[in-house]
């Protein structure tokens, strides 16, 4: 048997403006903040038994997940049917915009200007920001549980399969868990960074090796 550990993982940082609109370096205190968390059951599951090992194994993958949220922030639709988590945008020829995004745009609560421009073949497309990582934390959320170990690999397992088939018996690999699908929450805040200053929030699934 092997142990699966449950970790509460949080990454956070600063929202940096898209290069297209970056005029001068703003004060850090005025910039929006973001947070990626695995803080609800089943948390972040792993065979790793220490905080250091969790960071060593998953830091690169989680940072890739954060980069995916940059694009998500530009395609996110608010409750009042506005596109994008921020107000940075550019006007783009409709023919250059993916059909899927155009279909979303057509269902939005557009202003009169946006409607007129769309009729002329131009649409308002959100710019993609950069989410800078400033901090992260990993802490144990629950006591570990034991599960069946990953299936054996190598010549011994192949020999076992060959012998069973030679005897006319079916070969069934051990049923084990080697990956996890954990739920994350991504939040964007404006200063002073509490729940009342929430700009946008969404959830998603993160599939990774245990």
């Amino acid at each position: 048997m092997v142990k699966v550990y449950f970790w509460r993982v949080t990454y956070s940082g600063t929202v940096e403006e898209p290069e297209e609109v970056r005029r001068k370096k703003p004060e850090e205190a005025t910039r929006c903040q973001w947070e990626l968390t695995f803080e609800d059951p089943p948390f972040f599951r792993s065979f790793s038994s220490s905080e250091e090992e969790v960071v060593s194994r998953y830091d690169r993958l989680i940072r890739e997940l954060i980069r995916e949220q940059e694009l998500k922030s530009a395609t996110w639709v608010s409750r009042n049917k506005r596109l994008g988590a921020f107000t940075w945008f550019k006007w783009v020829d409709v023919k250059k915009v993916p059909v899927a995004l155009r279909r979303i745009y057509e269902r939005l609560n557009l202003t009169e200007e946006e409607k007129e421009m769309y009729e002329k073949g131009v649409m308002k497309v959100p710019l993609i920001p950069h989410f800078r990582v400033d901090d992260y934390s990993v802490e144990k959320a629950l006591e570990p549980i034991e599960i069946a170990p990953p299936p054996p690999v190598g010549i011994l397992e192949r020999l076992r399969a060959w012998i069973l088939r030679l005897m006319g018996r079916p070969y069934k690999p051990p049923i084990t868990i080697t990956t996890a699908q954990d739920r994350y929450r991504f939040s964007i805040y404006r200063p002073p960074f509490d729940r009342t200053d929430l700009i946008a929030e969404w959830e998603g699934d993160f599939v990774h090796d245990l």
Side-chain angles (χ1 to χ4, degrees), residues 7 29 47 49 88 117 122 198 203:
W7 300 97
F47 290 144
S49 59
W88 305 307
M117 294 297 290
V122 181
L198 184 67
E203 296 184 357

Side-chain angles (χ1 to χ4, degrees), residues 1-7 9 42-55 57-58 138 140 143-151 175-180 182 208-210:
M1 304 295 283
V2 295
K3 288 185 177 181
V4 174
Y5 295 82
F6 300 85
W7 300 97
V9 177
F43 303 100
F44 189 95
R45 292 168 289 181
S46 174
F47 290 144
S48 298
S49 59
S50 69
E51 298 174 10
E52 293 77 12
E53 187 178 357
V54 170
V55 174
R57 289 186 60 202
Y58 301 107
V138 178
K140 189 175 294 185
E143 290 301 313
I145 62 172
E146 291 188 337
I147 64 171
I175 299 175
T176 57
I177 300 174
T178 59
T179 61
D182 295 324
H208 59 89
D209 290 338
L210 284 167

Side-chain angles (χ1 to χ4, degrees), residues 70-84:
E70 295 174 351
L71 177 59
K72 173 67 176 178
S73 74
T75 58
W76 175 80
V77 177
S78 67
R79 291 182 178 178
N80 60 351
K81 295 185 178 181
R82 298 295 296 169
L83 183 64

